[in-house]
Amino acid sequence: MGSTRRPVLFVSYAESGLLNPLLVLVEELSRRGVPDLWFAADEKARPLVEAAGVGSPVSFASLGDTVPTMSAVTWDDATYREVTQRSRFRAHRAVVKHSFVPRARVEKYRRLEAVAEEVEPALMVVESMCQFGYELAITKGIPYVLGVPFVPSNVLTSHVPFAKSYTPKGFPVPHSGLPGRMSFPQRVANQLFRLRTLGMFLTSSLRAVAQEDDRVRTELGIVPEARQMMARIDHAEHVLCYSVPELDYPFPLPEKVRLVGAMVPPLPQAPDDGGLAEWLDARRSVVYMGFGTITRLTREQVAALVEVARRLSDRHAVLWKLPKEQQGLLPAPETLPANLRIEGWVPSQLDVLAHPNVGVFFTHAGGNGFHEGLYFGKPLVVRPLWVDCEDQAVRGRDFGVSLTLDRSETIDPDVVFDTLSRVLDDGAFRERAEHFGSLLRAAGGRGAAADLLLGLPALAHN
C-alpha cells in the first residue's frame, strides 16, 4: 500500500513580479484544502507565503537571504542604467552579464536540495526564471510544472541561431521588441540580435563564465539533461503561462503549454485600503501610474510626470504608486496639483485596476502588469523598462490596446500628455482592451491552473 502523501513544493525568487502569480496559485490550492503545501523562497518572502495559507497550511522553506547578483532590485545605479539603456541589444547583453553568475546559485541549490530531501515532493511548481529550481527537479527526477509570467514565445524562442526553438524560423527574438510582421531591415535586425547573442558567448569573458557554469553544474551533480537550451520546457509536465494565445504573435503551441490567463485572487484583495477605494469612487476618471518595483526614476523624470498630472487636472485625477525611497525627488508638497494622489505602496494594484473609474494604466509593461491591466479591460500607455517589457509593449501596440513611449533619459511632458489623452479619448483602445479582458477571464486563471495541477498523475491517489 503506497503512501497517500502528495506534497507540492513551490519554488520562486522573491521578486514580486515572479513570486506573486505563484502565491495566487498556492493560495487557491490552500483554499481548496489541499494538504502538504510547501513554498521555498528567499527569507524576505516568508510573511507573504505564510499569509497564503487561507485554508490548509502553506509551510515556508527558507532559501536564505537574497543574493544581490540574483535580484534586479538590489543592483547598483550604474548596473541599473546599463540594463535599462535605450539600445535593446546592449540592455539584453547587460542583463546577461550581470545575472549570469554561476556561483551565486550554489547555496540556493544546496538549500533547495535539503528542502526536497525533507519534503519528498510529488510535484514541484517552479517559476520560469528560477534556474536552480528546475535544474534540481530534472536532476532528482521530480515531476514539475513551470510557471511563466510572460507571453508564451518569451520562453519558447531561442536567443541564438541553430538552437532548438518552439517558434518558427524568423520569429521575433525575446527582448528585441520587434513586431510579428517585420520590414526587411527589421528581419535583418532580428537575425543580427541572435547572432550577436551567440557572439557574446564567444568572447573570452563569457566563455570563462560558461566554463565556471560547467564546473558548478558538475559540483552540484546536475544531470546533463538539465543543461540543454530548452531543458526547462522539454522536461516540464505543464508550462503554465499567465496569458492567452491572442496576446502573442501566432505560432503552434506545444500541447504542454497551457495558457490560463492572468493569475488574479478573489477581490477585493485588500478591503482595508486606507480610503483609497472611496477616493477612486469620488473621481470620474483616473489615470493609474505604476511602474513596478524595479523602475528608478530621476528627479527630472519625476518632475515631468508631476507636470503631466497638472495638465490632466481639468478632466482626470492621477493615482501614482511611487516608492517611498523615490518620493524625496518630488517637488515641494505645496506645489503638487490637487488632482494627484501619491502612494508609496498600493495595498492591491488589482483592486485599483478593477475599479470602474480607472480609465488607463500607465505602466512599464512587465508581464504581470501588462496582463492584469488587460484582464480588467484597461488600455495601457507603456514606457518599457527593459527586456520582456519591450516585447509586451510591441504586442500591445500591434493588438490595439496600448501606445508606447520612447524609453529615454528624458520624459517629455508634451509627449506623455498627448499619448495619455489619445488613449483616454479614443474608445477603440478601451474596446480592444475589454475584448482581451474577456479572453483572459475566460481562460480560467487560478482555478484553471489549480485544476491542471491536481489533474496530474503525480498528485493522483493510489
Side-chain angles (χ1 to χ4, degrees):
M1 189 75 175
S3 170
T4 59
R5 282 196 72 225
R6 295 291 184 271
V8 182
L9 174 59
F10 287 74
V11 188
S12 177
Y13 288 123
E15 291 186 13
S16 59
L18 306 177
L19 178 71
N20 287 347
L22 291 192
L23 288 176
V24 173
L25 180 51
V26 77
E27 181 181 292
E28 176 65 18
L29 295 177
S30 172
R31 186 177 294 108
R32 297 186 184 195
V34 176
D36 262 334
L37 298 173
W38 291 76
F39 205 118
D42 291 350
E43 180 61 33
K44 70 177 185 178
R46 180 185 292 272
L48 295 172
V49 169
E50 291 178 343
V54 295
S56 56
V58 178
S59 300
F60 179 71
S62 178
L63 298 180
D65 294 334
T66 299
V67 178
T69 53
M70 298 172 75
S71 173
V73 176
T74 62
W75 286 344
D76 60 31
D77 288 341
T79 301
Y80 175 82
R81 287 192 295 272
E82 192 176 0
V83 301
T84 59
Q85 63 184 287
R86 291 186 69 182
S87 167
R88 292 168 185 165
F89 178 77
R90 290 175 183 171
H92 164 72
R93 181 176 60 193
V95 170
V96 172
K97 181 179 77 172
H98 291 290
S99 59
F100 187 25
V101 185
R103 283 276 155 202
R105 74 180 191 277
V106 170
E107 182 183 358
K108 300 298 179 188
Y109 187 97
R110 291 297 191 204
R111 283 178 176 264
L112 182 61
E113 186 176 43
V115 172
E117 289 173 358
E118 175 191 352
V119 173
E120 297 182 346
L123 180 73
M124 291 176 63
V125 184
V126 183
E127 199 289 311
S128 62
M129 299 300 291
C130 191
Q131 181 180 356
F132 64 87
Y134 60 78
E135 284 177 334
L136 183 131
I138 297 169
T139 298
K140 302 296 182 182
I142 303 170
Y144 71 95
V145 168
L146 199 70
V148 178
F150 318 110
V151 293
S153 61
N154 180 280
V155 296
L156 297 174
T157 307
S158 173
H159 283 91
V160 297
F162 319 121
K164 179 178 180 178
S165 192
Y166 284 93
T167 52
K169 183 179 179 181
F171 199 89
V173 184
H175 309 169
S176 68
L178 289 168
R181 293 183 178 179
M182 299 183 214
S183 63
F184 178 74
Q186 286 174 324
R187 291 197 299 272
V188 171
N190 192 48
Q191 186 62 13
L192 282 175
F193 202 98
R194 278 195 171 92
L195 290 168
R196 293 175 73 187
T197 299
L198 177 63
M200 288 189 323
F201 289 93
L202 300 178
T203 62
S204 58
S205 58
L206 274 183
R207 275 207 318 271
V209 177
Q211 290 166 357
E212 174 70 358
D213 190 53
D214 285 338
R215 288 191 292 270
V216 164
R217 290 171 187 257
T218 300
E219 174 187 323
L220 294 173
I222 295 171
V223 296
E225 304 93 276
R227 307 183 187 193
Q228 300 160 2
M229 185 74 72
M230 285 285 171
R232 60 179 173 172
I233 305 298
D234 295 341
H235 297 279
E237 301 292 311
H238 287 315
V239 178
L240 288 182
C241 185
Y242 319 132
S243 186
V244 290
E246 294 84 357
L247 280 172
D248 206 348
Y249 300 125
F251 66 97
L253 283 164
E255 185 179 353
K256 68 170 62 180
V257 178
R258 303 303 184 95
L259 280 80
V260 296
M263 297 296 281
V264 176
L267 300 183
Q269 189 178 26
D272 185 11
D273 64 0
L276 185 56
E278 288 82 357
W279 185 86
L280 291 168
D281 288 341
R283 270 74 193 167
R284 181 173 58 85
S285 175
V286 177
V287 174
Y288 173 52
M289 298 198 305
F291 305 112
T293 56
I294 297 174
T295 299
R296 305 176 197 178
L297 298 170
T298 65
R299 186 177 299 277
E300 293 73 23
Q301 291 169 344
V302 168
L305 292 173
V306 169
E307 175 59 24
V308 170
R310 190 185 317 279
R311 296 185 188 186
L312 290 167
S313 60
D314 61 334
R315 297 175 55 202
H316 309 284
V318 177
L319 173 63
W320 187 2
K321 185 178 73 172
L322 181 65
K324 288 185 178 179
E325 58 268 24
Q326 295 186 46
Q327 291 186 18
L329 304 175
L330 287 163
E334 62 272 13
T335 68
L336 297 177
N339 68 320
L340 174 62
R341 176 167 176 157
I342 296 171
E343 295 286 345
W345 185 251
V346 173
S348 170
Q349 176 166 281
L350 296 169
D351 289 345
V352 171
L353 291 170
H355 198 283
N357 292 348
V358 172
V360 67
F361 182 21
F362 189 3
T363 173
H364 67 305
N368 290 328
F370 176 79
H371 289 99
E372 289 165 359
L374 295 178
Y375 180 93
F376 294 107
K378 310 301 182 186
L380 314 173
V381 169
V382 173
R383 183 176 181 267
L385 175 63
W386 64 344
V387 291
D388 71 289
C389 302
E390 297 280 5
D391 301 327
Q392 272 108 216
V394 71
R395 285 157 175 77
R397 183 202 67 193
D398 284 355
F399 300 148
V401 298
S402 64
L403 292 177
T404 303
L405 298 167
D406 182 40
R407 176 163 54 87
S408 63
E409 284 297 314
T410 302
I411 293 179
D412 186 332
D414 292 337
V415 173
V416 177
F417 173 75
D418 289 346
T419 305
L420 283 167
S421 297
R422 180 178 166 189
V423 172
L424 286 161
D425 294 343
D426 186 344
F429 288 100
R430 183 69 177 241
E431 289 174 9
R432 293 295 294 163
E434 289 175 346
H435 166 71
F436 285 108
S438 66
L439 295 176
L440 285 161
R441 294 189 295 275
R446 68 181 191 278
D451 290 343
L452 286 167
L453 291 188
L454 295 175
L456 286 170
L459 298 186
H461 292 284
N462 293 342

